């Protein structure tokens, strides 16, 4: 079933507690993916939802999960699996917001790179909702610090990404253990072969919900490309920010080294920039992300590890300091801007011939127009005709 319209939340027969939580966030109208998924999941049906990033998938499964929780029952009732710790943290925050007016509904977030002892202490408080990365959840199950076989709802968020990252054995092992499952939700930007295999083996008569990246749901993003020397990328970013006046910016690099380098060069040019990558301790990463969310950092430089984990509605511009190896990563990177009905901007910096070939390929395969720009003699941006 293809869904193109949202509906008013007050038409979905939700509890007063959930309506109050939505009201607190100032939300009255659902997105199409929420309109398509909430009714079948409320009826404990399996769901496969294909929807672009940034279309409100967390509430699409989070609302039915919170509605179904019995606060008196201290066993695990729902498990949500996510590919990255950043996404797991973001999902946990949103689920807690939804459960704000349902006392006794507890959520835990389990991910690698954080002290396991602290997580074990939280598990002793008997959370009913477990949000986790597959690897860390498997660790806890081996230690017998969590039992998930009681879960009635299981959701795989960013299922395509999770299976691409090599988690398929962890995921199937976990699903095999959850034999009291009433429904399974698969949420994905693309339906890959592996996602279809999981659906075929573990779902029955699933409702298929498709939200197309049409003009209504597709972010409005102007895309540009600029040829610059490798050592002039920070200068280009600084000039563009000065000219546009943008102060909410994400810059993506392919490697940890480039992330550090671009961040340092920007700082040397007086730009308020911070960076994160896989070698930076989790606590520090969370601090940087929170400061960016709160508007205390102008430029957030990152590897792709955060492209899926950060959900900020008002990023003005995204820079690709390196062109990503995968077309899907390009789509996810630029999808950080142009949200919440605002127009976004993405600029890819091209320093060599292989990068030029990659951006040509991305433009062709994703059917996007990526307009060439340069600085003119006066130092202002202009489109190359």
């Amino acid at each position: 079933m293809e869904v193109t319209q949202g509906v008013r939340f007050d038409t979905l027969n939700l509890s007063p507690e959930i309506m109050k939580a939505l009201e607190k966030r100032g939300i009255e109208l659902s997105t199409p993916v929420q309109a398509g998924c909430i009714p079948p999941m409320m009826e404990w049906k399996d769901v496969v939802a294909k929807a672009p990033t940034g279309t409100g998938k967390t509430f699409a499964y989070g609302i039915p999960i919170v509605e179904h929780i019995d606060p008196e029952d201290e066993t695990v009732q729902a498990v949500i699996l996510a590919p990255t710790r950043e996404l797991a943290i973001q999902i946990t925050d949103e689920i807690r917001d939804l459960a704000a007016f349902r006392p006794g509904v507890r959520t835990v977030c389990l991910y690698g790179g954080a002290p396991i002892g602290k997580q074990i202490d939280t598990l002793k408080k008997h959370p009913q909702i477990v949000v986790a990365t597959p690897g860390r959840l498997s660790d806890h199950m081996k230690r017998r610090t969590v039992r998930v076989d009681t879960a009635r709802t299981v959701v795989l968020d960013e299922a395509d990404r999770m299976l691409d990252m090599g988690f398929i054995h962890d995921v199937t092992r976990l699903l095999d253990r959850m034999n009291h499952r009433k429904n399974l939700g698969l949420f994905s930007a693309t339906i890959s072969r592996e996602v279809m295999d999981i659906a075929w083996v573990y779902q029955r008569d699933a409702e298929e919900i498709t939200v197309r990246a049409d003009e209504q749901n597709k972010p409005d993003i102007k895309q540009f490309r600029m040829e610059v020397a490798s050592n002039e990328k920070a200068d280009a970013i600084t000039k563009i920010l000065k000219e546009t006046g943008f102060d909410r910016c994400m810059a993506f690099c392919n490697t940890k080294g480039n992330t550090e380098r671009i961040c340092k060069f920007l700082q040397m040019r007086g730009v308020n920039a911070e960076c994160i990558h896989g070698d930076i301790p989790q606590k520090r990463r969370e601090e940087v992300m929170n400061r960016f969310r709160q508007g205390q950092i102008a430029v957030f430089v990152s590897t792709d590890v955060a492209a899926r984990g950060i959900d900020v509605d008002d990023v003005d511009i995204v820079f690709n300091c390196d062109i990503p190896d995968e077309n899907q990563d390009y789509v996810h990177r630029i999808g950080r801007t142009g949200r919440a009905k605002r127009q976004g901007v993405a600029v890819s910096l091209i320093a060599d011939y292989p990068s030029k070939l990659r951006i040509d390929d991305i433009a062709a395969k994703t059917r996007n127009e990526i307009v060439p720009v340069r600085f003119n003699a006066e130092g202002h941006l202009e489109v190359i005709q």
Side-chain angles (χ1 to χ4, degrees):
M1 172 174 76
E2 190 169 304
V3 191
T4 56
Q5 296 289 317
V7 297
R8 285 183 62 86
F9 275 112
D10 56 17
T11 64
L12 292 174
N13 299 322
L14 302 175
S15 67
E17 292 84 358
I18 288 285
M19 290 305 294
K20 208 169 164 190
L22 291 168
E23 206 177 292
K24 190 181 169 191
R25 294 271 295 253
I27 303 169
E28 290 180 4
L29 195 67
S30 80
T31 64
V33 73
Q34 292 159 1
C37 295
I38 290 171
M41 287 196 75
M42 288 293 287
E43 292 173 19
W44 299 101
K45 289 181 179 170
D46 288 341
V47 160
V48 179
K50 181 186 173 200
T53 302
T55 48
K57 287 181 276 188
T58 311
F59 276 18
Y61 59 76
I63 287 172
I65 283 175
V66 173
E67 290 280 35
H68 284 151
I69 296 298
D70 174 2
E72 303 293 308
D73 180 352
E74 295 195 331
T75 61
V76 171
Q77 297 170 46
V79 174
I80 302 162
L81 294 176
T84 64
R85 60 190 94 181
E86 284 79 15
L87 183 58
I89 291 164
Q90 179 196 314
I91 292 166
T92 306
D93 290 343
E94 298 217 359
I95 297 284
R96 284 180 178 149
D97 276 359
L98 286 171
F101 299 99
R102 292 211 64 207
V105 174
R106 294 176 296 279
T107 306
V108 68
C109 189
L110 309 175
Y111 51 83
I116 202 160
K118 221 177 194 178
Q119 293 176 1
I120 292 169
D121 289 344
T122 314
L123 286 165
K124 285 176 183 165
K125 293 173 184 161
H126 306 290
Q128 298 98 341
I129 303 171
V130 172
V131 184
T133 52
R136 180 49 66 100
L137 183 55
S138 296
D139 288 349
H140 277 286
M141 287 169 70
K142 280 180 200 139
R143 291 166 179 256
R144 305 208 169 156
T145 48
V146 67
R147 273 189 62 181
V148 293
D149 56 319
T150 51
R152 294 179 299 171
T153 296
V154 182
V155 167
L156 307 191
D157 197 349
E158 306 277 19
D160 51 347
R161 176 74 162 181
M162 193 149 35
L163 303 177
D164 281 352
M165 287 166 73
F167 284 127
I168 190 151
H169 296 303
D170 281 331
V171 168
T172 52
R173 241 194 325 268
L174 291 166
L175 289 172
D176 290 338
R177 296 284 288 276
M178 295 186 243
N179 47 9
H180 287 90
R181 193 178 67 248
K182 277 191 176 185
N183 65 338
L184 169 63
L186 298 177
F187 288 77
S188 205
T190 57
I191 303 296
S192 63
R193 176 74 252 172
E194 290 85 355
V195 175
M196 284 168 67
D197 288 347
I198 294 274
W200 187 76
V201 175
Y202 292 98
Q203 291 186 318
R204 293 288 169 269
D205 304 321
E207 292 268 342
E208 293 185 23
I209 313 296
T210 302
V211 177
R212 246 211 294 238
D214 59 17
E215 293 321 304
Q216 188 187 345
N217 296 300
K218 194 175 184 178
D220 178 11
I221 304 169
K222 284 193 174 305
Q223 297 169 57
F224 301 101
R225 56 198 283 173
M226 176 182 272
E227 295 194 13
V228 295
S230 186
N231 59 352
E232 290 175 4
K233 289 179 181 178
D235 282 326
I237 293 171
T238 308
K239 273 185 181 171
I240 291 169
L241 293 182
K242 200 170 177 187
E243 177 143 340
T244 57
F246 290 152
D247 59 1
R248 299 275 278 166
C249 160
M250 292 186 82
F252 287 102
C253 302
N254 290 355
T255 65
K256 296 166 188 174
N258 281 358
T259 305
E260 295 268 1
R261 202 172 302 118
I262 290 284
C263 186
K264 210 158 264 145
F265 286 157
L266 286 168
Q267 289 168 347
M268 284 161 63
R269 285 155 180 75
V271 176
N272 178 5
E274 294 282 355
C275 70
I276 70 165
H277 53 66
D279 284 353
I280 288 175
Q282 181 61 23
K283 195 165 185 296
R284 171 78 182 137
R285 284 161 66 169
E286 285 170 32
E287 276 169 18
V288 172
M289 282 195 278
N290 284 332
R291 287 180 57 215
F292 182 63
R293 281 194 189 99
Q294 290 158 15
Q296 295 168 9
I297 296 169
V299 183
F300 179 91
V301 191
S302 173
T303 50
D304 282 303
V305 73
R308 294 206 170 217
I310 280 221
D311 201 13
V312 181
D313 280 342
D314 50 358
V315 174
D316 298 315
I317 185 168
V318 168
F319 289 98
N320 288 308
C321 301
D322 301 315
I323 309 306
D325 297 325
E326 301 291 333
N327 296 355
Q328 199 61 32
D329 287 334
Y330 175 84
V331 173
H332 283 296
R333 285 180 183 188
I334 71 166
R336 303 296 104 195
T337 184
R339 290 184 166 202
K341 303 282 185 255
R342 292 172 50 143
Q343 187 178 68
V345 179
V347 179
S348 296
L349 304 175
I350 317 291
D352 53 33
Y353 190 64
S355 298
K356 184 181 179 307
L357 292 179
R358 279 291 305 124
I359 204 75
D360 288 344
D361 184 58
I362 288 167
K365 298 272 172 56
T366 62
R367 296 182 185 164
N368 281 317
E369 189 187 6
I370 306 177
V371 178
V373 291
R374 66 184 171 203
F375 294 115
N376 63 18
E378 287 80 47
H380 298 302
L381 278 173
E382 67 176 17
V383 172
I384 300 172
Q385 301 298 342

